[in-house]
């Protein structure tokens, strides 16, 4: 489950007037208690009035209700179009999480916008211009590692190379080209920034340990165009 889906689920549970402990939430979503602490902070940063009762758990401030979301027809159309583009990506985890999020968003569309968005959906097609069928299933987890500054360990195979190398990396940013997702990270093996195709990661593991932000700048990186590991 992605962090967005988990945050929505935690908020839904809190809205049910239940008192929830960090341990209970950690067991339910199969994550660490530290992750739940970060999730609660995210909700608080988003303006959700989560009340912490010492020794008892979390609840929502009495009388709080989540304001309804309102989408214009153009905004709904943009989401439907984005869905077609996302479906052409080669990372199954990202496609799955986007579809789950969009389903929840579409549930608050006004009926008239819902009907028009379904009509538009039937009138869009994105051609597949890539002939590389290699897929990945790591993007959603890597995104969490980027925003939470978690170390990642990977077994990586470069293009036209049969050897697999072990890397410990600090993930900073990613971009897409020809339906392939490229991760830019500080590589401890090379002691420098390197780029890694996510579909060439043979195995990955997100570590609980966090790293200190090196203040990576994506625009500066592209301007320098360093050697990469793709």
């Amino acid at each position: 489950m992605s962090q967005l889906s988990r945050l929505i689920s935690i908020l839904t549970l809190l809205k049910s007037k239940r008192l929830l402990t960090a341990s209970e939430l950690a067991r339910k979503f199969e994550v660490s208690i530290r992750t739940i602490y970060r999730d609660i902070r995210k909700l608080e940063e988003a303006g959700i009035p989560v009340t912490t009762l010492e020794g008892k758990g979390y609840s929502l401030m009495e009388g709080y209700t989540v304001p309804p979301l309102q989408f214009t027809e153009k905004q709904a159309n943009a989401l439907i179009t984005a869905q077609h583009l996302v479906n052409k990506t080669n990372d199954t985890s990202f496609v799955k999480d986007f579809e789950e999020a969009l389903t929840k968003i579409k549930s608050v569309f006004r009926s008239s916008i819902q009907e028009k968005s379904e009509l538009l959906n039937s009138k869009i097609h994105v051609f597949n211009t890539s002939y590389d069928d290699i897929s990945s299933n790591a993007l959603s987890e890597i995104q969490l590692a980027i925003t939470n500054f978690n170390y990642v360990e990977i077994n990586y195979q470069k293009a036209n190379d049969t050897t697999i190398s072990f890397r410990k990396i600090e993930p900073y940013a990613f971009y897409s080209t020809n339906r392939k997702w490229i991760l830019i990270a500080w590589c401890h093996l090379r002691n420098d920034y390197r780029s890694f195709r996510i579909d060439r990661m043979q195995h990955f593991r997100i570590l609980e340990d966090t790293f200190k932000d090196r203040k990576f700048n994506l625009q500066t990186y592209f301007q320098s165009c360093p050697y990469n590991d793709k």
Side-chain angles (χ1 to χ4, degrees), residues 16-211:
S16 69
K17 308 300 182 183
R18 293 182 56 192
L19 188 64
L20 302 167
T21 66
S23 297
E24 179 183 3
L25 290 170
R27 288 194 299 271
K28 179 176 180 59
F29 297 108
E30 298 181 344
V31 296
S32 68
I33 292 179
R34 286 179 57 190
T35 296
I36 296 299
Y37 291 157
R38 289 195 291 266
D39 288 345
I40 295 297
R41 285 199 298 271
K42 285 285 186 183
L43 290 174
E44 292 172 338
E45 291 169 0
I48 308 298
V50 179
T51 301
T52 303
L53 302 178
E54 194 66 33
K56 295 183 178 180
Y58 303 108
S59 66
L60 281 182
M61 181 181 295
E62 188 67 30
Y64 174 77
T65 58
V66 179
L69 296 174
Q70 297 293 333
F71 290 89
T72 66
E73 185 177 347
K74 288 196 298 183
Q75 290 169 338
N77 289 346
L79 288 168
I80 295 301
T81 304
Q83 182 181 26
H84 282 262
L85 296 174
V86 168
N87 285 340
K88 289 300 181 180
T89 186
N90 68 339
D91 190 276
T92 56
S93 67
F94 183 61
V95 172
K96 177 177 178 293
D97 287 329
F98 184 87
E99 288 181 347
E100 289 177 353
L102 185 58
T103 296
K104 293 175 180 178
I105 292 172
K106 289 167 68 174
S107 68
V108 302
F109 284 176
R110 296 196 307 272
S111 57
S112 60
I113 290 183
Q114 177 71 43
E115 291 174 2
K116 290 181 179 179
S117 68
E118 292 301 326
L119 174 62
L120 180 66
N121 186 51
S122 67
K123 295 180 180 296
I124 298 176
H125 180 78
V126 177
F127 287 97
N128 180 5
T129 58
S130 173
Y131 297 95
D132 193 342
D133 291 328
I134 300 177
S135 63
S136 61
N137 191 30
L139 183 59
S140 289
E141 295 297 326
I142 296 295
Q143 288 174 331
L144 293 181
I146 290 174
T147 57
N148 291 293
F149 300 98
N150 291 108
Y151 285 108
V152 180
E153 292 180 342
I154 62 173
N155 290 330
Y156 192 72
Q157 183 177 7
K158 294 190 290 186
N160 303 317
D161 191 343
T162 59
T163 61
I164 296 176
S165 61
F166 172 80
R167 312 288 184 99
K168 183 176 181 180
I169 61 175
E170 302 170 12
Y172 280 101
F174 58 92
Y175 64 95
S176 178
T177 178
N178 296 325
R179 293 180 59 232
K180 300 174 183 63
W181 290 103
I182 313 298
L183 172 68
I184 304 172
W186 180 268
C187 177
H188 284 255
L189 178 65
R190 304 300 186 193
N191 199 33
D192 199 356
Y193 290 110
R194 290 290 186 268
S195 57
F196 303 93
R197 270 180 49 177
I198 291 181
D199 60 280
R200 293 194 177 281
M201 295 180 185
Q202 302 298 311
H203 175 75
F204 74 96
R205 185 165 72 99
I206 311 297
L207 305 183
E208 288 286 339
D209 295 340
T210 58
F211 57 85

